[in-house]
Amino acid sequence: MTSRPLAISAGDPAGVGAEIIAKAWRALRDEGPAFVVIGDAQLLASAGGGVKVRTVTRPQEAAQAFADALPVIDIPLLSAVVSGRPSPSHAPQIIRWIETGVGLALSGAISGLVTAPIAKAPLYEAGFPFPGHTEFLAELTAAATMDGARGPVMMLAAGDLRATLVTIHSALGKVPSALTTEAIVNAGLVTAQALRRDFAIAAPRLAVAALNPHAGEGGALGREEIDVIEPAVRALRDLGVDASGPSPADTLFHPEARARYDGVLCMYHDQALIPVKMLDFWGGVNVTLGLPIVRTSPDHGTGFDIAGRGIARPDSLIAAIKLAADIAARRGA
């Protein structure tokens, strides 16, 4: 196993994070990828079904400990946890776990960061000013540099489908005004760069989805395709990206259509997430593109309704860990 492990920030302590982390460790302990958890060691031991936990102070210790115990950088919670009941009192530690993971990634001490799910509402109650994980990670890495266009751009990956978003956590009614040609071009450039660097696709083909039904019907159902999206597709082609579209979204996701592109650029959240979850509900992965660090997460939420019952599935977290390791290896090469 590599001496530079991944790290997992433990997510909301009232959710299924500790349980699926423990299950992922049991599945990967023999062959890896090795990881270290940033969270509350006592919670991980108890909520993880009695998993053996080893507290470490440096990520480098995780590789040696990984086959025998779940390595944890222990940053304890300051208040009690009730499964299924999120609390704003946990917000400072949740935020600190994420900040610690980003700091370790920026320093090169870990090869990438996998984030267990967080709940936004209790963080908002505590004054958290970001719409979600993705935007917070962008702020934490803003001072770092990277080549090419800048993220964050959210990608959802499942099987042969890689779908990226132009708008992320925007209310549907606000999406048309949030779409700009510049935003679409930036997301397209970041996606193309990531397909080459992180997914080893030498000449990526990018499909661009329309916003309106039937791609706007020549303007009869909306002018966003004519005024905003088509100019962006032309600009991407001028910049060397093999981009096509805008194409009606209802014809973009069946197997024959997916064979014609390597990534699809979607205009809003559910346009991407619905087909990804239909294709592989348990194994989808969220990847943040355009950052100077590797970041993935499972493509599901905190699971408060099943927290503490021992029935949460770790499939998506395991897929996120493996994809983060693959991306880190490609970037290292």
Side-chain angles (χ1 to χ4, degrees):
M1 294 182 185
T2 178
S3 60
R4 278 208 315 150
L6 298 164
I8 302 179
S9 57
D12 193 299
V16 298
E19 178 186 340
I20 61 174
I21 289 169
K23 289 178 176 177
W25 172 75
R26 290 189 177 102
L28 299 172
R29 58 182 295 185
D30 292 329
E31 297 183 2
F35 58 81
V36 61
V37 185
I38 305 167
D40 184 302
Q42 183 176 353
L43 176 70
L44 285 154
S46 58
V51 67
K52 183 180 178 182
V53 168
R54 181 173 299 171
T55 300
V56 299
T57 58
R58 298 180 302 126
Q60 292 87 339
E61 300 170 43
Q64 288 73 38
F66 192 73
D68 181 59
L70 177 63
V72 180
I73 295 175
D74 187 27
I75 302 176
L77 291 162
L78 303 178
S79 60
V81 175
V82 178
S83 293
R85 297 185 183 179
S87 171
S89 67
H90 302 142
Q93 300 308 91
I94 295 171
I95 293 168
R96 188 178 168 196
W97 296 341
I98 298 167
E99 290 172 337
T100 301
V102 171
L104 291 171
L106 288 173
S107 73
I110 58 173
S111 58
L113 177 64
V114 181
T115 58
I118 60 173
K120 300 173 184 65
L123 295 180
Y124 296 158
E125 288 185 51
F128 186 69
F130 301 95
H133 246 138
T134 300
E135 296 85 353
F136 186 36
L137 291 167
E139 176 67 20
L140 292 174
T141 61
T145 60
M146 64 174 296
D147 296 331
R150 173 77 194 199
V153 172
M154 180 186 287
M155 171 185 281
L156 290 306
D160 64 349
L161 176 58
R162 305 174 193 91
T164 54
L165 304 176
V166 178
T167 65
I168 303 177
H169 296 114
S170 295
L172 190 57
K174 296 181 179 179
V175 168
S177 60
L179 285 177
T180 66
T181 297
E182 292 76 15
I184 296 169
V185 170
N186 184 73
L189 290 173
V190 170
T191 301
Q193 180 190 62
L195 290 170
R196 288 191 295 268
R197 179 183 62 174
D198 297 339
F199 293 87
I201 299 171
R205 302 161 298 166
L206 184 64
V208 180
L211 173 67
N212 295 298
H214 305 173
E217 286 281 10
L221 298 178
R223 291 194 55 85
E224 286 84 2
E225 285 73 22
I226 296 170
D227 297 338
V228 179
I229 305 175
E230 287 178 5
V233 174
R234 291 194 296 269
L236 285 168
R237 290 174 183 155
D238 290 342
L239 292 167
V241 177
D242 183 359
S244 61
S247 302
D250 63 350
T251 63
L252 270 177
F253 298 105
H254 62 284
E256 290 81 1
R258 298 200 305 271
R260 296 194 291 269
Y261 60 77
D262 302 297
V264 56
L265 188 59
C266 297
M267 298 300 109
Y268 59 93
H269 186 274
D270 285 8
Q271 192 177 61
L273 270 74
I274 289 173
V276 166
K277 292 188 177 184
M278 285 290 292
L279 185 64
D280 189 355
F281 184 81
W282 296 111
V285 178
N286 178 0
V287 190
T288 305
L289 310 180
L291 300 183
I293 66 171
V294 176
R295 183 263 177 151
T296 66
S297 71
D299 184 23
H300 61 70
T302 51
F304 291 135
D305 57 325
I306 60 170
R309 296 170 57 190
I311 61 173
R313 291 180 55 161
D315 309 48
S316 186
L317 178 61
I318 292 171
I321 293 167
K322 290 182 176 180
L323 182 55
D326 289 344
I327 292 173
R330 292 186 185 112
R331 289 193 186 186

